[in-house]
Structures are given as C-alpha cells and as structure tokens.
Amino acid sequence: MYDGAIMPLALVSPRPAALTFVQAAAVVLLAASLGACGSSGSRNVAQRGTYKIGAPYKIDGVTYTPQEEFNHVETGVASWYGPGFHGKSTANGEPYDQSARTAAHRTLQMPAIVRVTNLDNGMSTVVRVNDRGPFARSRIIDLSRTAAQELDIVRNGTAHVRIDQLQAESLAVKDVAIAGGGPAEQQAAVAQVSSGRYAPAQAPVQTAAYAPPTEPAPAYAQPAPAQPVWPTNPAPAYVPASNGGPTVASLANGSTLQPASGFYVQTGAFTTPENAERQRGAVSSYGVSEISQGSAGGRDVYRVRLGPYTTSDAAGIVADRLKRSGYGDARVVAN
C-alpha cells in the first residue's frame, strides 16, 4: 500500500489532446451512471480521476522508478490484500475497495489496465492498477480480494502469474483520468474498448521496459512462498505458559507452534488474554498473528504480534501499513 513519505507521486497535468476527449467523456459518464445503479460501485460515480506516475522511491534498500508504459510484460508472484485495507486511501487517492478488480504495482502509471494470468491453473482476470506495491521478495503485483478470488489464490495467498498490459485499455483510462473521470468512467471506457466502440490515442514511443531489481521469480514447479503477505490464517487458541516463558499457540490438530526467531510487528500489549485475543483477531488479515506472554512491572502482559519476518525492513513495511490503518502502537521488535 501507499506511503506518501517514501513514495512521492507527481500529478500529470492535462495534455492538449485530452481537450478533444471532453465530449466522449460525457458519453462515458452517462453510460457509467446507468451501469452503476445496481452495483456496489455507485459511490465511485462522484469520484474525480487523476493520472499519476510518480518519482523514484526506495523500499527495503531497493529503488523503484515509476514510468509510463503501455506494453508491460512481467512474470513473478502475485499476492493479495483485503479487509484490513478496505476503505483506506490508495496511492492515487481512491479508497481501496476489495470488491473491485484493482491491483497495486510498483512502477506502472495509475491508472493502467493489465491482464493477470495464474500460471498454475490458467485462470485470468483484468484489473485496473490504482496503488503501489507489493514490496515482498519476488512479488510483482498485489491484487484486490475479488481479483484474487477470480484467480483462485485467496486460500494459498500467492500464485505464480504473468502480467500483460492491455495497451488500448490503458490509453483509454489515461484519457479518462486526465479529463477528470473517476473509477466508474474509467471502467466504462474499458468496456467500450472491449466492444470496439472506443478508439484511444496512439501510445507514445516506449522506453525500456522496467526490470525488477529483485531476484528472478522462482520456477513454476516450485511451491509458493511459505509466508503469504495476506493469508487468512486459522485462529490458534491461546494457552497460558505453565513455566512463565513465551506463550505456545495450540493449533486445531493438537500440535503446538513455538515462537520462531526473526522480526515481528507488535500491535499492542494487554493485561488480559481476552483483550489480546480480540486484537489478534482484528489484525489477522495483515498476516500470521500470535499472542506472546511476558511480564512488565511485575505484571503479566499479553503481546499481539505479526510475523516472523526475515528482515527489520520487511517488518517495517507491515508496521507502516498498520499505522495507516489506525494501529498507532505498531512497532518492529526482534525475537
């Protein structure tokens, strides 16, 4: 998700060619208004659109350089983000809607339209890029919950995918966004392109395609990474430690899970296990969560943590996301 402190965005001023689009935008607006009457996207009709590219930014020691592209192709791992961010602001200013077909990408302009194909099962869907991310190792796109469901990756959390940018559709949403059209108008323009009733301007000369600075994506035969960023994890039952040491979570199958070493994101500390369990449930959509028992000032405390993460920078990204979602006490701790 977007962090304005490290991912500055530049708003593209309307270009002269966009003035010729005003009449077409009015037609698109009417079509979108009619089509939105019975959908959950009706609140998007009033939103104004913007077209953004952005300045270079650094995450976890890696510099990303956003650029305008219309023929982007990329292969890697997709993840998804859901309830924890629903309604929060995305990088282009829209509220995140987990029911919409949207995605976060590290460098593509916003909006842009891409087809995402799950290489493990052949399923595909088309999404509109309106956010920045993901920044976990080898991952190339963060999908909304609905898009992830259409690719059947919600349960596993990740999948090997191929991204193919749709040139005509990306040009169309650029025109609409520059003219001030919001998400509903942009989606209507995509539908018109698909039906052959919309002819966007020609794409400018392309610069060199973005080459991810991270490691190459693993071979498709390999399993997905062991720790998805946005999984739906089972809720372990809290079991107080009998020896005063760290809490051990009891899983549904009767086995136990010992706290692993690494970096964690602590979201809060409580004097009762019941309060800790309530917050653990509230933050579980952000990652694998647990309750760790300790003491402070001679009293038992129950700490809610997410993780483990292999580096403090990776944990810091999750902590920043939690803070932007209202968990102001989120901080990185080492185990």
Side-chain angles (χ1 to χ4, degrees):
M1 291 287 283
Y2 171 60
D3 187 336
I6 56 178
M7 291 183 281
L9 292 170
L11 174 63
V12 176
S13 299
R15 52 189 172 90
L19 297 177
T20 63
F21 181 76
V22 173
Q23 290 181 332
V27 175
V28 173
L29 175 61
L30 176 60
S33 299
L34 294 175
C37 291
S39 70
S40 60
S42 58
R43 66 178 181 277
N44 291 335
V45 174
Q47 292 182 26
R48 296 287 292 171
T50 56
Y51 185 73
K52 295 181 178 181
I53 299 175
Y57 60 95
K58 181 178 289 187
I59 296 287
D60 202 9
V62 177
T63 298
Y64 300 92
T65 304
Q67 59 184 319
E68 182 180 70
E69 296 186 65
F70 295 95
N71 294 291
H72 186 84
V73 177
E74 192 175 0
T75 301
V77 177
S79 51
W80 68 278
Y81 58 128
F85 295 100
H86 187 69
K88 305 299 181 182
S89 180
T90 62
N92 74 344
E94 298 174 15
Y96 171 63
D97 183 355
Q98 65 176 349
S99 66
R101 293 177 180 83
T102 58
H105 190 271
R106 296 170 294 187
T107 60
L108 281 174
Q109 71 269 23
M110 298 175 289
I113 304 298
V114 299
R115 175 181 290 111
V116 184
T117 302
N118 185 338
L119 297 174
D120 297 326
N121 59 21
M123 303 173 73
S124 68
T125 190
V126 174
V127 298
R128 184 173 58 91
V129 175
N130 70 343
D131 203 0
R132 284 285 175 247
F135 304 104
R137 183 177 177 180
S138 83
R139 295 179 188 172
I140 61 173
I141 194 166
D142 248 350
L143 301 169
S144 66
R145 182 181 181 89
T146 289
Q149 288 173 329
E150 292 181 345
L151 296 180
D152 193 25
I153 70 173
V154 171
R155 180 172 55 183
N156 291 334
T158 60
H160 295 98
V161 302
R162 175 186 171 96
I163 296 174
D164 293 280
Q165 187 175 12
L166 305 183
Q167 183 186 91
E169 287 83 350
S170 293
L171 285 165
V173 295
K174 174 183 178 179
D175 283 343
V176 174
I178 287 178
E185 291 78 24
Q186 294 167 29
Q187 292 160 7
V190 170
Q192 287 191 327
V193 171
S194 300
S195 65
R197 292 182 290 115
Y198 184 92
Q202 294 299 309
V205 176
Q206 291 290 291
T207 57
Y210 168 72
T214 54
E215 297 179 1
Y220 304 151
Q222 295 180 358
Q227 183 187 307
V229 173
W230 309 118
T232 53
N233 56 296
Y238 170 76
V239 180
S242 57
N243 57 3
T247 296
V248 176
S250 175
L251 303 181
N253 60 8
S255 63
T256 58
L257 176 64
Q258 298 289 344
S261 61
F263 295 93
Y264 289 79
V265 177
Q266 181 171 308
T267 62
F270 302 88
T271 57
T272 66
E274 293 79 13
N275 288 338
E277 180 58 35
R278 275 194 289 271
Q279 185 173 91
R280 191 208 65 78
V283 302
S284 62
S285 62
Y286 291 82
V288 178
S289 58
E290 67 175 31
I291 297 174
S292 175
Q293 183 182 1
S295 62
R299 302 175 63 185
D300 287 338
V301 293
Y302 305 90
R303 301 182 178 94
V304 180
R305 308 190 307 179
L306 300 172
Y309 302 93
T310 55
T311 68
S312 60
D313 287 335
I317 292 172
V318 178
D320 288 342
R321 288 173 168 173
L322 283 159
K323 287 178 181 178
R324 291 198 301 274
S325 298
Y327 297 95
D329 294 331
R331 60 189 179 91
V332 177
V333 297
N335 189 36

